[in-house]
Amino acid sequence: MRKMLLFFLFCLAPCLCGAQDIRVYFSPNGGCQQAVISEIRKATQTIDIAMYYLSSRDIAQALAKAQENNVRVRIVLDQGQEIESASKSGYLIKHGLEVRYHMGFGLMHNKFAVVDGRSLITGSFNWTLTAEERNEENLLVISDPQTIEKYQERFDYLWNTSRLDSRNARGLEAFPAWFCATFHFFCSS
């Protein structure tokens, strides 16, 4: 009996050590948005997000609620989101979330979030209503610590190389600060 138990432990140990939970979702209407909101609601400490396009009202409201519940929410968006009318960046800033914009020449095309260092949300799914209802998209929710650590490192790099919103949470400027600094004749003093 003891040999049999040792044999099973020897055979199962590699499987158990590498065990991880990966949940898979597809859109349209495959539960991607609800999976994102569910993970946001589970957060107790931090949510770090690198997102190309964030215009979902429901996700933005869940993030604002997390902030109200003392969860630190940091978001890096593509710089086009600063002036995009459908973007929820202004809403998020007004609700106290920390929002920065990517400074690189190309698109900040990442789509991921790290929740409490225990959960990773990633895939092609932009956090938009169109992605949920019309587009062919995918979303993974991963709990593998090594994978999460790599994504957290990437988020930290993006965060440290991005800039603050030019509106200072007021949403008053018609042009972003970088535009005014370059083309000052378009901006009032």
Side-chain angles (χ1 to χ4, degrees):
M1 178 70 168
R2 185 173 182 199
K3 284 184 180 181
M4 215 160 127
L5 180 61
L6 287 173
F7 174 76
F8 281 115
L9 286 176
F10 178 75
C11 290
L12 291 176
C15 296
L16 295 175
C17 292
Q20 58 180 327
D21 180 34
I22 300 176
R23 288 173 281 144
V24 180
Y25 303 87
F26 295 99
S27 65
N29 300 314
C32 293
Q33 180 169 279
Q34 191 52 47
V36 171
I37 292 169
S38 176
E39 290 302 309
I40 290 168
R41 288 179 178 158
K42 292 177 191 174
T44 59
Q45 298 173 20
T46 61
I47 302 172
D48 289 336
I49 302 164
M51 187 58 51
Y52 172 65
Y53 203 109
L54 198 164
S55 65
S56 166
R57 179 178 40 118
D58 292 343
I59 293 175
Q61 288 174 341
L63 290 168
K65 183 70 173 167
Q67 177 78 13
E68 289 173 17
N69 292 332
N70 297 314
V71 174
R72 182 179 186 199
V73 181
R74 300 185 301 169
I75 305 169
V76 175
L77 297 171
D78 182 71
Q79 61 188 344
Q81 292 295 287
E82 187 172 23
I83 57 173
E84 170 62 45
S85 62
S87 174
K88 294 299 179 197
S89 60
Y91 171 88
L92 296 168
I93 291 165
K94 288 177 185 176
H95 282 84
L97 286 77
E98 299 175 66
V99 176
R100 292 188 181 181
Y101 299 96
H102 180 252
M103 296 276 295
F105 291 105
L107 296 175
M108 200 296 301
H109 210 249
N110 285 292
K111 299 162 187 86
F112 71 86
V114 176
V115 179
D116 288 338
R118 59 146 183 82
S119 179
L120 168 66
I121 305 166
T122 191
S124 68
F125 185 73
N126 279 303
W127 292 5
T128 69
L129 188 60
T130 302
E132 176 64 14
E133 293 182 350
R134 291 190 217 150
N135 295 351
E136 290 289 339
E137 307 264 359
N138 69 79
L139 182 82
L140 300 171
V141 180
I142 302 170
S143 64
D144 176 57
Q146 292 174 327
T147 304
I148 292 168
E149 183 179 351
K150 289 179 182 179
Y151 274 83
Q152 185 65 58
E153 287 171 5
R154 189 61 182 178
F155 175 84
D156 293 339
Y157 165 78
L158 291 168
W159 182 256
N160 292 326
T161 59
S162 296
R163 64 173 170 74
L164 293 171
D165 187 277
S166 66
R167 296 171 287 189
N168 279 333
R170 292 188 309 272
L172 299 177
E173 293 182 12
F175 298 103
W178 62 266
F179 183 87
C180 292
T182 306
F183 306 102
H184 56 83
F185 49 89
F186 282 108
C187 305
S188 59
S189 17

